[in-house]
Amino acid sequence: QQQVKQSPQSLIVQKGGISIINCAYENTAFDYFPWYQQFPGKGPALLIAIRPDVSEKKEGRFTISFNKSAKQFSLHIMDSQPGDSATYFCAANTGGGNKLTFGTGTQLKVEL
Amino acid sequence: GAVVSQHPSWVICKSGTSVKIECRSLDFQATTMFWYRQFPKQSLMLMATSNEGSKATYEQGVEKDKFLINHASLTLSTLTVTSAHPEDSSFYICSALRTKSYNEQFFGPGTRLTVL
C-alpha cells in the first residue's frame, strides 16, 4: 500500500516534444506529491509538487496533472530540451513532513 | 531555493575504517533530516530519519550500530559508517525538511563512498 508505481522506466523524446511520466499510488492518505530531477552523480532536485486540492499545477515548462479518483499523477515536460535529459522520480507522503515514498525512476533522454 | 550541502562529495577508505559524512542546511533550519542510499540506476532507499536533539529512527533492515546518525543542531546531521566494508560502497544522499508555508524536502548533492 506504500508503493508508488512509476512508468515508463525509460523514455526517449525528440527535442521540442512533450515528455510524459506517470505515477500511481495506493495509499489514500498520501497528500503531497513532489517530482524530483536527478542528474548523474548529483542529488535529486525538487522540481515541482502538488497537493490533492488541485488537479493541475504548472511551473514554466513543467506541469503536474493529478487525478485523485484514479490515484494517479503525471509530469508533463513541454518543449523538451537536451538539458532535460535526467532521471525523474515521483514521490508521495502524508503531511509533507513525513518520509517520502519514491517511484522507481524514469530515465529521460531528449534527442536533437 | 533551499540549499543543502554534503561533505565530502566523495571518499575512498580502507575496509575496517569509519567514515563520517556531514549534511548541512545552509539557509534554513531543519529539525528533521533524512539519510538515503542509492545504488546505480536505482531509486533512493531511505535509511533513517534524523531528528534534532533525539535519536534517529532507522528503517527496517538498516543496522543502527553500523550507520550512526547524529543530529546535533538545527543545521547539521552526520552519518558515520563504522567499520566500513566493500558492500557499504554506495552513493549516500541526505535531505533536509524545510517547514515554511509547506513542508518540503531538499536534497544534498550526495557523497560517493568507495570502500577498498
Side-chain angles (χ1 to χ4, degrees), chain A residues 1-22:
Chain A
Q1 194 181 19
Q2 288 294 326
Q3 282 186 325
V4 176
K5 296 181 180 179
Q6 183 171 348
S7 63
Q9 185 176 356
S10 62
L11 181 62
I12 299 175
V13 173
Q14 296 299 309
K15 180 183 175 184
I18 303 173
S19 304
I20 301 174
I21 305 170
N22 301 297

Side-chain angles (χ1 to χ4, degrees), chain B residues 5-72:
Chain B
S5 70
Q6 274 184 250
H7 179 78
S9 55
W10 59 270
V11 57
I12 301 173
C13 69
K14 293 183 178 180
S15 185
T17 60
S18 294
V19 174
K20 180 185 282 188
I21 302 170
E22 293 186 348
C23 177
R24 294 181 184 272
S25 55
L26 298 185
D27 52 359
F28 65 99
Q29 293 183 331
T31 56
T32 303
M33 293 184 175
F34 301 88
W35 286 95
Y36 295 83
R37 187 173 179 175
Q38 187 178 36
F39 293 103
K41 297 190 182 299
Q42 292 191 22
S43 190
L44 289 84
M45 182 185 76
L46 180 65
M47 299 175 65
T49 302
S50 169
N51 294 296
E52 187 267 339
S54 64
K55 291 184 178 180
T57 303
Y58 290 82
E59 294 300 299
Q60 192 173 9
V62 177
E63 299 177 61
K64 62 180 180 181
D65 294 331
K66 180 166 188 63
F67 298 101
L68 300 178
I69 292 172
N70 183 29
H71 194 152

